[in-house]
Amino acid sequence: MPELYIDGEWVAAAAGGRHDVVNPFDASVVTTVDDADETDVDRAVRAARRAFDSGVWSDAPTRHRADVLHRVHQLLLRDKEEIARSETLDTGKTLAEARVDVDDVANCFRYFAEIADKDGGRVLDIGPDVLSRVVHHPVGVCALIAPWNYPLLQASWKVAPALAAGNTFVLKPSETTPLTTLHMIRLIAEAGAPPGVANLVLGPGATVGAAMTSHPEVDLVSFTGGLDTGRRIMAAAADGVKTIALELGGKNPNIVFADADFDAALDYALDAAFLHSGQVCSAGSRLLVEDAIHDRFVAALADRASRIRLGDGLAEGTESGPLSSAEHRAKVEEYLEIGRAEGARVACGGRRPDDPELQRGFFLLPTVFADCDRSMRVVQEEIFGPVVTVERFHTEDEAVALANDTRYGLAGGLWTSEASRAQRVANRLRHGTVWINDFHPYVPQAEWGGFGRSGIGRELGPSGLHEYQESKHIYQNLAPAPSGWFKG
């Protein structure tokens, strides 16, 4: 079956392009899919425009749109095992993590279904002869571009609120991880979304993504990915003065004070840095440890990291999988060389594994860089792999200064047993999400996004819905009479 979904039909790419989807565990080809081009993007965007302008979705009762999202939630749970397996084949992550992802995606659709009709606008008390209202309308046609590390989850953070608000969209997953997004679009169609409301194109960001962001009929662009690509999208969107929402990653600090629960902080430091082989925008890849426990903590961290079980995400007992592609592994390996050249000490890892079973896949050993400082590139730049840097601090003020010394500001964590310090430090951190004595949890009810170069706008929470809405003020004079302003 063709893999592009345009105007309610599954169609092949106009130019006949195809590309392989590769399993990063062993570099085997999972399947081949259509490769779209600018012609396909134009067809998809114009289908979304016709559907939006027709009012078939934008003018539908909010409760009807919510019912469709509720059905998507139920269908995702119905197909959970199939979707999770596809996510593991696509990304290399463990099946256990993929199952959690599907649950989170389903919960995202349910959340936006539940809040879709909760904000009917505001009535303003202007005076007895005036009816003044602020109402919300959908933005229009949305170009949604999702990343490769959490392809289904990140797509749902865009698709669910866009649909709840009454928009139509064209979605592009990463060309390397399209399988679960294909499944989600099938479920949206099964749930009853009219033709043209949801459209899917596949292919490289350089061509397909660029055509989406520059298309004159697109009203909003939402992108999750790297900083450099985000800059290019901003430039392309600026020409048409499009609404943009960008999540561009982070270099996220994880602060461990000496009074923290040592074992809990150690366990979560591993989770923060090495979940999904560190390919997480909010990864706690910059560890800051108070001097009094620094050496003991680094030794324990390196010991535990060296015992993480790498393998096939579908296999029982695997704790972490490969990197997403050979190209991405090569990029991370460049940072390993940069770190060594800068004087970082390799406490563990720093190379490919020796295990013969892992040689065909894109694996790197979990790596701990010790003796780091804020001047190093490996401390300041997002590596997006199984690499954590460790810095030493002596005072609370120094910890906060180090944690805020980043061009990003997506997320951060801190570990302490002192309640007043926990709140004090959390308030001083310039990051969009701050975890206290935890790392990585998010809930769809709370906004997600960052300060600084981590992006523009927020996903999830009420703000995540508002990203896909325009506000309109309607002012009605109930007792019109001549104004008498001009006397002639």
Side-chain angles (χ1 to χ4, degrees):
M1 185 177 77
E3 290 88 17
L4 308 186
Y5 189 70
I6 299 174
D7 207 10
E9 296 183 354
W10 292 99
V11 297
R18 306 280 294 176
H19 75 267
D20 294 337
V21 177
V22 174
N23 181 350
F25 166 66
D26 59 5
S28 62
V29 175
V30 178
T31 188
T32 60
V33 295
D34 281 288
D35 232 355
D37 62 12
E38 292 86 346
T39 300
D40 300 303
V41 171
D42 183 65
R43 291 165 59 205
V45 171
R46 294 191 184 282
R49 171 57 61 192
R50 288 192 299 272
F52 182 80
D53 290 346
S54 75
V56 66
W57 188 252
S58 57
D59 293 339
T62 308
R63 191 68 257 158
H64 170 69
R65 298 200 297 264
D67 287 344
V68 172
L69 266 64
H70 275 300
R71 285 197 288 274
V72 175
H73 162 257
Q74 294 161 359
L75 293 170
L76 285 162
L77 295 180
R78 181 196 70 186
D79 294 355
K80 176 179 174 177
E81 284 302 309
E82 181 183 352
I83 296 171
R85 182 178 175 83
S86 293
E87 192 80 330
T88 294
L89 290 172
D90 241 356
T91 65
K93 66 176 60 178
T94 66
L95 189 57
E97 186 186 351
R99 288 177 178 133
V100 173
D101 286 353
V102 180
D103 285 337
D104 288 347
V105 170
N107 289 337
C108 180
F109 276 92
R110 181 176 62 186
Y111 170 72
F112 283 107
E114 290 173 347
I115 71 166
D117 63 351
K118 296 300 186 289
D119 186 356
R122 310 193 311 274
V123 176
L124 310 179
D125 186 5
I126 304 300
D129 295 326
V130 173
L131 175 61
S132 181
R133 298 183 296 132
V134 175
V135 298
H136 304 300
H137 290 277
V139 172
V141 175
C142 303
L144 311 178
I145 303 175
W148 49 259
N149 59 326
Y150 284 87
L152 186 63
L153 183 67
Q154 294 287 345
S156 74
W157 289 11
K158 304 175 189 303
V159 168
L163 289 175
N167 299 281
T168 61
F169 68 83
V170 180
L171 172 64
K172 189 196 89 66
S174 167
E175 64 271 25
T176 63
T177 56
L179 300 183
T180 52
T181 307
L182 281 160
H183 198 127
M184 180 180 68
I185 293 296
R186 293 188 192 104
L187 298 186
I188 290 171
E190 183 180 346
V197 170
N199 301 274
L200 176 72
V201 292
L202 308 178
T207 53
V208 178
M212 292 168 64
T213 57
S214 62
H215 199 289
E217 294 293 338
V218 166
D219 300 299
L220 176 150
V221 179
S222 178
F223 167 78
T224 297
L227 178 59
D228 290 340
T229 304
R231 287 194 183 104
R232 291 193 292 272
I233 286 173
M234 286 184 71
D239 187 55
V241 197
K242 304 180 194 301
T243 300
I244 57 172
L246 305 174
E247 199 263 77
L248 304 178
K251 189 69 176 182
N252 311 289
N254 187 18
I255 306 169
V256 181
F257 288 96
D259 66 343
D261 182 314
F262 188 95
D263 291 335
L266 176 63
D267 215 45
Y268 276 88
L270 291 164
D271 297 349
F274 301 122
L275 182 71
H276 193 19
S277 293
Q279 299 169 118
V280 185
C281 58
S282 57
S285 58
R286 189 180 176 194
L287 185 62
L288 310 175
V289 184
E290 191 167 2
D291 180 66
I293 62 168
H294 174 276
D295 293 352
R296 177 184 167 214
F297 199 94
V298 171
L301 180 70
D303 176 63
R304 290 281 306 277
S306 68
R307 291 188 278 120
I308 291 174
R309 295 192 299 271
L310 305 180
D312 183 356
L314 295 174
E316 196 73 31
T318 295
E319 294 179 326
S320 189
L323 294 170
S324 66
S325 67
E327 294 77 14
H328 185 59
R329 181 175 62 178
K331 173 192 168 187
V332 176
E333 287 179 317
E334 288 180 13
Y335 275 107
L336 296 179
E337 292 308 311
I338 290 169
R340 290 187 178 96
E342 291 178 320
R345 174 172 62 88
V346 180
C348 74
R351 59 181 176 82
R352 299 182 186 185
D354 297 325
D355 187 342
E357 296 295 321
L358 306 181
Q359 296 311 301
R360 289 186 297 169
F362 312 131
F363 286 91
L364 282 178
L365 292 174
T367 299
V368 176
F369 270 144
D371 303 334
C372 295
D373 65 68
R374 69 169 87 184
S375 69
M376 295 177 174
R377 285 181 60 190
V378 290
V379 170
Q380 292 292 337
E381 297 178 15
E382 186 179 38
I383 299 174
F384 222 64
V387 181
V388 61
T389 63
V390 189
E391 299 165 78
R392 187 190 306 260
F393 71 88
H394 298 83
T395 67
E396 180 181 310
D397 285 345
E398 184 184 7
V400 171
L402 287 170
N404 285 336
D405 183 16
T406 173
R407 61 182 178 173
Y408 295 103
L410 183 61
L414 66 108
W415 291 82
T416 180
S417 61
E418 185 182 327
S420 59
R421 170 190 278 163
Q423 292 300 320
R424 187 169 62 243
V425 172
N427 286 331
R428 295 175 66 190
L429 293 179
R430 297 280 297 168
H431 300 272
T433 293
V434 176
W435 295 291
I436 299 173
N437 296 333
D438 210 321
F439 212 97
H440 275 321
Y442 79 94
V443 293
Q445 299 92 332
E447 280 75 359
W448 179 266
F451 294 11
R453 297 187 185 183
S454 283
I456 297 171
R458 292 294 184 269
E459 295 185 295
L460 303 180
S463 299
L465 181 63
H466 295 158
E467 288 284 350
Y468 294 90
Q469 294 175 322
E470 298 278 17
S471 296
K472 176 192 290 184
H473 180 206
I474 301 175
Y475 183 105
Q476 182 179 0
N477 185 342
L478 300 176
S483 69
W485 186 268
F486 296 104
K487 308 302 182 185

